[in-house]
Amino acid sequence: MGTLVKIVLLFILSQSMVLAQESITQTITVNINNLDNDKGVVYVSLYDSEHNFLNQGVRSASAKIENNKCNVVFSNVPQGVYAISLYHDENGNKKLDSNFLGIPKEDYGCSNNARGFMGPPKWNDAKFEVKNESIVQSITL
């Protein structure tokens, strides 16, 4: 009987530890400034690894532009390392338009205002850590 009580108590304690760990989340606020105009929308993606960066975000959102700026909020983000990319979809076709050389025709940006040299920005330049406090990323295009 004593063993059964110990097992039940151990189970209850382990479940409460899991719930406590899951509740440690933060908010990431993305402020986008200096857009060319108020046309279209801004699409924002949040990435949690170098492997997925600029390919498959863990979360995505869009924002309407007012006065050449907008913001997006990602809530309940677990602690970890993240990066953000965004683009201004001026013509509403839901993709980043580029010319025949692959150079973007629409504005884009990344967290930490990372810029690429002869290509897209790098994960190491765009990454930031979410730990014990909410994060604000201000991205200027």
Side-chain angles (χ1 to χ4, degrees):
M1 184 72 171
T3 305
L4 181 60
V5 170
K6 289 178 185 175
I7 291 172
V8 169
L9 286 173
L10 183 61
F11 176 76
I12 291 171
L13 286 173
S14 67
Q15 291 302 312
S16 63
M17 291 296 286
V18 168
L19 291 174
Q21 288 176 347
E22 288 177 0
S23 66
I24 300 174
T25 61
Q26 306 300 329
T27 300
I28 299 173
T29 302
V30 185
N31 296 323
I32 301 112
N33 303 300
N34 202 32
L35 291 151
D36 286 340
N37 55 57
D38 290 351
K39 295 179 187 173
V41 296
V42 173
Y43 289 100
V44 183
S45 289
L46 179 68
Y47 306 91
D48 66 351
S49 72
E50 183 174 9
H51 176 72
N52 291 330
F53 184 53
L54 301 179
N55 292 314
Q56 183 64 41
V58 291
R59 296 200 196 166
S60 297
S62 62
K64 186 176 178 179
I65 305 160
E66 291 183 22
N67 299 318
N68 298 52
K69 55 187 169 185
C70 62
N71 65 41
V72 167
V73 177
F74 294 105
S75 300
N76 300 316
V77 178
Q79 294 183 15
V81 177
Y82 296 91
I84 295 167
S85 75
L86 60 91
Y87 70 94
H88 180 188
D89 184 17
E90 289 186 66
N91 59 8
N93 66 354
K94 297 184 181 178
K95 67 178 188 173
L96 177 62
D97 295 326
S98 58
N99 66 17
F100 70 97
L101 296 173
I103 298 170
K105 291 195 229 176
E106 296 175 306
D107 284 339
Y108 65 93
C110 284
S111 43
N112 301 329
N113 286 304
R115 295 282 179 203
F117 178 74
M118 301 296 284
K122 305 291 185 227
W123 166 261
N124 286 334
D125 296 331
K127 70 180 181 178
F128 59 92
E129 186 171 11
V130 174
K131 204 165 185 178
N132 295 323
E133 60 185 30
S134 294
I135 300 291
V136 175
Q137 278 284 328
S138 294
I139 301 173
T140 302
L141 301 181

